[in-house]
Amino acid sequence: MGKYAFYPGCAAKGASRELYESTIAVSNRLELDMVELPEFSCCGAGVLEEIREVLDIVVNARNLAYAEKAGRDIVTVCSTCLLVLRKAKYLLDNDDDLREEVNEILIEAGLEYRGTVDVKHFHWVLLDEFGEEGLKEKVTKPLSGLKVYPYYGCHTVRPKEIIGYEPSENPQSLEKIIKAVGATPVSGERRLECCGFHAFWPAPKISMELTGLNLKDAKREEADCIVTPCPLCHMNLDANQSRALKEIGENFKIPVLHVPQLEGLALGISEEKLGLKRNIVPFKTLGGAR
Amino acid sequence: MESRKVTFRIRRFNPKKDEKPYYKDYTIDVSKGMTILEALQYIKDNIDPTLAFRAFCRSAICGSCSVKINGYPKLACKTQVFNELDVYQTDTLTIEPIDNMEVIRDLIVDWDKAIGKMEKMRPYLIPDPQVVPDTLDEESKVYPEELKKYDSFTDCILCTTCFSVCTAVKHDENYGGPFGLARVYRFAVDPRDSLKKERSKVGYSFDMWNCVRCEKCADACPKHIAPVDGIMKLRGLSIEVGLKDNPGARHVMAFYKSLLESGMLNEVLLPLRTKGIKGVIENLPLGIKMILKGKAHSPIMKPIKEHETLLKVMKVAMEVE
């Protein structure tokens, strides 16, 4: 079993705390060796790069350095944190001049980046540690009959040079998780489309339109719910659902679960521990599938 | 040699003849190593001479043969059939023209829209007379560390693959497009250029802040360029030249401020910091829902452990050139 440093990211520590709660609950139930490092800072969500590229990389080299100190691979539950941390690592590992420059800055804080830890997404860890079959064996309450829309969004699959866990053209990790919990993945034309979250402030109309179209696709596939590995996608799909649907002239409700919430339900963890009551569109609206 | 029967489901459309596009299946023997382009050429030569597609160099440099393979755009000449069969676990591949441009016929699209956008943004060197000599007797030097800033963007072959997948292009008529905006950045950091950072204003007027950062351009580029990275940096330059009073730039500064204050993003203050009172009012219904569901944190946040190390490295990072 790997040793992991939990990097929740700002969303899971704030507006998506149900993601934090469910991740901890699942990790405990599966007895993962995963601890949160209190030194971790916000990754900057890629926007620090817009102030200065080196600022973005230094902030994340610091995060990586603390994980190295603890001898633990970083595990995050946010797709954008995943991309930003992996990108910093990719640049540092492939550019000696940059690594030297960044280490000269880190030394001011008594830290060093050596490149000894990896950065993974929580659902990759579930699959890598237990496999689809192993996860199936852990299930106590199979979610039979539940049709789930696997919504990847962007940053757990793209760009392949930095993420590279599975083919970005046709990823299957979420489908594997959905099958492992006894549910059925529906095929989704928009499963790899963007939710528009990162353009929410400058272009709310585009952001809401994209989210609306994604929700509509899930409805068209007759999914009972959507599952996503990203709290930012979740914010748009769940918290902003009514606004997004209004933008495209639709009006319906579809629950959106975080990956650990779906996994946790199948492991028999209580709805309270999974923070289900915090989802804006209640999962309970689901008809008869549970 | 290993060979497999493969069905190519090709989207056909001749606007002069057909009312709407249709799909036609061609099943052929494909041997290991054969490219999508070779398969298309085989079909044209041996089965259906009316099939239209563009191709020229067969070496991934002319940029003319980009097509969608099972929905994902790639250069046909650079893509082996067997790899695609592996990725999709199938013996049938759907081949379609790339998106975001009009179809002229079958797999051929009209590039004018994409190239026209780029031309409007003037992505060519406007020499700085103080740097570029008048005659060819002297060299115009670019040092390696200067070149490093824009080197990758000069690899663009104008295949329009990135334009075809771009989410912002699809949803915003005015958006400049990935390769065009990346070119604007490329000249904005070229030491020989006379406009330099000022070019970011062009990016601004072509809606660069509407990039949704879906990373599709970076993922699909056959030359391994990440246009999105150029766009992010062009945004940074626009803040440097004073375009600070817009939601995009204020959003960036809100993150910076949050990191200095506590090390974590202050989500509660984000609407106010990004869009002022308007942002608060716009997002009030959502805010109330969030509070009722226990999803909002206190606006005053406790700093992370070792926050001072973060402050130290951020300070130095802002000081170094």
Side-chain angles (χ1 to χ4, degrees):
Chain A
M1 165 108 36
K3 285 158 72 100
Y4 301 111
F6 181 34
Y7 183 96
C10 299
K13 293 287 267 188
S16 310
R17 64 187 60 178
E18 72 281 359
L19 173 59
Y20 184 88
E21 293 161 344
S22 55
T23 305
I24 298 289
V26 167
S27 171
N28 287 345
R29 177 63 60 94
L30 294 174
E31 298 177 332
L32 291 176
D33 180 3
M34 187 170 92
V35 290
E36 185 181 343
L37 301 188
E39 296 91 349
F40 282 153
S41 78
C42 167
C43 72
V47 309
L48 292 180
E49 190 183 331
E50 291 161 359
I51 299 178
R52 251 172 182 222
E53 188 177 18
V54 71
L55 178 69
D56 177 300
I57 295 167
V58 160
V59 164
N60 290 296
R62 177 188 168 278
N63 285 325
L64 289 158
Y66 278 113
E68 287 181 0
K69 254 188 166 179
R72 290 171 176 273
D73 283 337
I74 290 183
V75 175
T76 176
V77 283
C78 172
S79 299
T80 294
C81 296
L82 178 83
L83 172 60
V84 173
L85 285 159
R86 281 187 76 89
K87 189 169 168 189
K89 179 178 167 58
Y90 178 88
L91 294 171
L92 289 162
D93 291 350
N94 290 293
D95 184 340
D96 293 344
D97 295 339
L98 177 71
R99 192 169 60 244
E100 204 174 300
E101 183 191 348
V102 165
N103 268 330
E104 274 172 24
I105 299 174
L106 285 182
I107 220 165
E108 299 280 326
L111 292 166
E112 188 195 359
Y113 174 80
R114 289 175 295 138
T116 55
V117 296
D118 200 356
V119 182
K120 301 176 178 186
H121 200 287
F122 185 68
H123 81 274
W124 302 353
V125 170
L126 294 183
L127 287 168
D128 294 348
E129 287 289 353
F130 305 101
E132 199 183 323
E133 287 309 310
L135 280 178
K136 258 181 211 166
E137 284 164 24
K138 303 266 178 198
V139 167
T140 56
K141 283 190 178 165
L143 307 174
S144 326
L146 189 73
K147 283 156 81 179
V148 185
Y149 188 95
Y151 181 74
Y152 288 82
C154 304
H155 298 164
T156 43
V157 285
R158 289 187 294 265
K160 52 170 88 75
E161 259 152 18
I162 290 167
I163 304 297
Y165 179 72
E166 53 194 333
S168 60
E169 301 92 333
N170 185 27
Q172 290 295 317
S173 57
L174 286 182
E175 280 83 350
K176 283 181 192 166
I177 297 267
I178 294 167
K179 283 183 210 158
V181 299
T184 309
V186 299
S187 59
E189 250 176 41
R190 293 187 63 90
R191 70 190 180 123
L192 300 170
E193 293 298 325
C194 180
C195 74
F197 181 86
H198 288 291
F200 181 76
W201 294 106
K205 223 177 129 59
I206 295 176
S207 183
M208 287 298 94
E209 195 176 311
L210 288 167
T211 293
L213 292 171
N214 297 338
L215 291 162
K216 194 179 167 186
D217 193 44
K219 177 89 176 160
R220 191 182 57 80
E221 291 288 345
E222 297 179 344
D224 298 310
C225 66
I226 297 171
V227 72
T228 173
C230 179
L232 311 180
C233 298
H234 190 271
M235 208 106 65
N236 259 5
L237 293 166
D238 178 51
N240 271 320
Q241 188 171 115
S242 53
R243 184 172 165 190
L245 289 173
K246 205 172 160 194
E247 186 65 44
I248 61 159
E250 293 279 345
N251 182 20
F252 58 84
K253 276 190 172 143
I254 184 161
V256 188
L257 297 180
H258 300 282
V259 171
Q261 286 185 319
L262 182 79
E263 178 65 33
L265 284 168
L267 293 174
I269 299 170
S270 72
E271 292 195 4
E272 199 191 338
K273 278 193 176 157
L274 298 173
L276 271 177
K277 63 168 193 251
R278 294 192 207 280
N279 294 37
I280 300 281
V281 178
F283 185 58
K284 289 211 166 38
T285 54
L286 183 66
R290 283 183 299 144
Chain B
M1 193 190 278
E2 194 190 339
S3 140
R4 284 165 77 172
K5 258 200 188 343
V6 180
T7 300
F8 292 89
R9 215 172 156 251
I10 303 179
R11 190 174 190 262
R12 306 293 307 271
F13 182 48
N14 181 352
K16 286 189 187 141
K17 236 173 64 191
D18 306 321
E19 237 173 66
K20 56 177 193 209
Y22 62 98
Y23 289 85
K24 198 164 173 187
D25 289 359
Y26 304 90
T27 303
I28 61 170
D29 281 318
V30 173
S31 52
K32 196 175 175 187
M34 196 168 173
T35 64
I36 299 283
L37 179 57
E38 284 162 346
L40 292 174
Q41 193 64 53
Y42 181 88
I43 293 165
K44 189 176 174 71
D45 290 347
N46 297 284
I47 308 173
D48 189 344
T50 67
L51 177 65
F53 54 89
R54 261 200 204 106
F56 185 61
C57 78
R58 292 172 297 160
S59 308
I61 198 67
C62 77
S64 59
C65 67
S66 192
V67 291
K68 276 202 298 180
I69 305 160
N70 274 12
Y72 192 103
K74 292 183 179 184
L75 292 184
C77 72
K78 201 186 168 212
T79 308
Q80 293 191 8
V81 178
F82 275 27
N83 286 351
E84 299 305 297
L85 300 180
D86 266 4
V87 165
Y88 296 101
Q89 293 290 303
T90 179
D91 281 317
T92 302
L93 293 174
T94 302
I95 312 290
E96 297 163 301
I98 54 176
D99 291 333
N100 285 349
M101 284 162 276
E102 277 199 25
V103 175
I104 296 174
R105 192 172 147 181
D106 294 343
L107 302 175
I108 300 173
V109 298
D110 186 355
W111 286 326
D112 286 358
K113 183 178 159 195
I115 302 296
K117 273 268 168 68
M118 177 190 73
E119 283 173 354
K120 275 189 192 161
M121 294 189 284
R122 301 190 187 184
Y124 45 82
L125 192 81
I126 300 172
D128 180 349
Q130 293 184 54
V131 182
V132 181
D134 290 336
T135 68
L136 292 173
D137 299 338
E138 281 175 81
E139 283 176 288
S140 179
K141 281 180 191 155
V142 177
Y143 292 93
E145 60 274 19
E146 291 171 329
L147 179 65
K148 200 175 160 187
K149 286 186 187 166
Y150 63 85
D151 194 7
S152 77
F153 300 109
T154 65
D155 294 340
C156 174
I157 56 172
L158 295 177
C159 66
T160 70
T161 306
C162 62
F163 191 89
S164 81
V165 286
C166 177
T167 308
V169 165
K170 202 163 282 175
H171 291 262
D172 174 6
E173 260 305 305
N174 181 53
Y175 186 66
F179 70 91
L181 285 166
R183 260 166 205 253
V184 174
Y185 172 73
R186 174 246 175 282
F187 287 104
V189 289
D190 190 318
R192 299 164 301 178
D193 192 64
S194 58
L195 296 176
K196 295 201 181 66
K197 288 178 192 175
E198 291 295 317
R199 285 180 181 268
S200 60
K201 293 178 179 169
V202 176
Y204 186 87
S205 61
F206 280 85
D207 290 354
M208 66 175 172
W209 284 104
N210 287 3
C211 164
V212 293
R213 281 175 51 207
C214 65
E215 301 282 337
K216 283 185 177 180
C217 58
D219 199 58
C221 175
K223 305 309 278 185
H224 309 283
I225 305 165
V228 56
D229 291 357
I231 297 167
M232 295 301 113
K233 289 177 181 138
L234 194 63
R235 289 173 172 184
L237 296 181
S238 78
I239 297 173
E240 279 181 41
V241 299
L243 289 176
K244 291 177 183 170
D245 197 19
N246 59 77
R250 283 197 299 262
H251 184 244
V252 172
M253 296 323 285
F255 266 83
Y256 184 62
K257 231 180 195 169
S258 282
L259 274 134
L260 292 180
E261 286 163 359
S262 72
M264 295 298 273
L265 176 68
N266 194 323
E267 291 174 324
V268 175
L269 294 182
L270 199 61
L272 183 69
R273 284 176 168 172
T274 302
K275 267 195 166 168
I277 291 297
K278 199 174 161 233
V280 178
I281 295 168
E282 253 177 39
N283 290 284
L284 200 60
L286 177 65
I288 292 168
K289 267 191 257 176
M290 303 275 253
I291 291 166
L292 291 175
K293 289 276 187 176
K295 285 164 88 81
H297 60 72
S298 151
I300 300 157
M301 294 177 73
K302 208 177 123 205
I304 54 165
K305 193 176 168 194
E306 306 288 348
H307 184 230
E308 55 290 357
T309 64
L310 179 68
L311 294 177
K312 248 184 222 163
V313 298
M314 283 178 73
K315 184 166 178 273
V316 186
M318 290 303 282
E319 282 164 1
V320 291
E321 180 36 56

